Amino acid sequence: MSEHDTSRPEVSGPAAGVVTAALRRAIRTQSGLARSYVHALRQSHPDESPARIRGRLDSMFLGAVTASGAAVGATAAVPGIGTLVAFGAIGAESLVFLEAAAFYTLAVAEVYGLDVREGEHEELLVMTVMLGASGTALLARAVSTETTSAPGASLAGRLLRVPGLKEINTRMMHRFVRKFAVKRAGLAVGKLAPAGLGAAIGGWGNRKLGRTVVDTADATFGAPPHHWPAG
């Protein structure tokens, strides 16, 4: 292990435990719902391509996280609510964002015909998509050293061929805990702004973070298939 790796801080403490538990709970609760939702979309729109259904998922996710961010931001402008209550709402909304991102990522995997139901595959995929460019870079380095794939295979497809994921998941979890906390903490300050500014900042900030999730899904999954996978 390199000197850089040994200097990495451990994932420990109450905050790390909360984020880790929240991630696993989000995946556990959203996995089946995501598959069912994609199945329902395909039944409702039988003539639509995977790309079109993927577009519906993008719009749904961005709309949901923008609305939740704006709603929590508006809390600070309500007389009598108080900052402590607003902070509590922001904490709850952070978990909502995590669940929405897990749902979205697993739904996209379903569109692409990728079965990621192994716990470590699901966790690693959701963390990658939420982390943005740093997540895809870390995953690309990891899978390139542990497996070989046909040229042009997506990161998500290569992930499924990795035999052991414990070390990769540990490295990714270190980064995920740190970055998730930093991103959400910075946005929380803006959401506390009064006179309606909190709602605007909350909605804009959540949409920006959501856009990063969508863009990272593009990089991780690649272009949607032209036809629905068989089976």
Side-chain angles (χ1 to χ4, degrees):
M1 186 175 290
S2 68
E3 182 180 347
H4 175 74
D5 289 334
T6 56
S7 65
R8 181 183 293 112
E10 291 296 319
V11 179
S12 59
V18 168
V19 174
T20 302
L23 171 70
R24 290 174 176 157
R25 183 171 58 251
I27 291 171
R28 186 171 62 250
T29 57
Q30 300 302 321
S31 181
L33 294 174
R35 290 194 300 273
S36 297
Y37 185 74
V38 171
H39 180 69
L41 281 179
R42 290 184 61 182
Q43 286 190 320
S44 301
H45 309 280
D47 297 328
E48 291 190 352
S49 66
R52 182 70 187 94
I53 295 296
R54 163 71 197 275
R56 289 183 179 276
L57 292 175
D58 293 352
S59 297
M60 179 273 296
F61 170 67
L62 289 173
V65 297
T66 300
S68 67
V72 171
T75 302
V78 178
I81 290 294
T83 301
L84 289 178
V85 174
F87 264 124
I90 289 168
E93 193 269 333
S94 294
L95 299 181
V96 170
F97 187 95
L98 180 57
E99 290 200 345
F103 177 94
Y104 168 76
T105 302
L106 299 174
V108 172
E110 184 71 13
V111 170
Y112 283 65
L114 299 175
D115 187 352
V116 293
R117 278 176 283 185
E118 285 189 33
E120 291 180 335
H121 286 153
E122 288 183 326
E123 284 183 22
L124 189 51
L125 194 57
V126 172
M127 286 189 290
T128 297
V129 170
M130 288 196 69
L131 278 171
S134 64
T136 54
L138 183 58
L139 180 59
R141 289 196 300 271
V143 299
S144 67
T145 61
E146 301 207 15
T147 187
T148 56
S149 298
S154 70
L155 274 176
R158 291 159 63 192
L159 163 66
L160 296 180
R161 297 179 176 86
V162 176
L165 295 175
K166 277 193 179 301
E167 185 178 348
I168 301 173
N169 253 356
T170 299
R171 294 201 302 269
M172 190 75 81
M173 188 65 77
H174 282 293
R175 185 167 299 186
F176 177 79
V177 169
R178 291 198 307 270
K179 290 221 169 183
F180 182 77
V182 169
K183 285 181 179 180
R184 301 307 297 184
L187 189 53
V189 174
K191 287 177 180 176
L192 291 173
L197 288 177
I201 292 172
W204 173 85
N206 264 24
R207 188 171 186 87
K208 185 177 180 182
L209 291 180
R211 187 74 251 178
T212 298
V213 169
V214 171
D215 290 343
T216 309
D218 288 339
T220 304
F221 289 97
H226 296 294
H227 305 287
W228 289 104

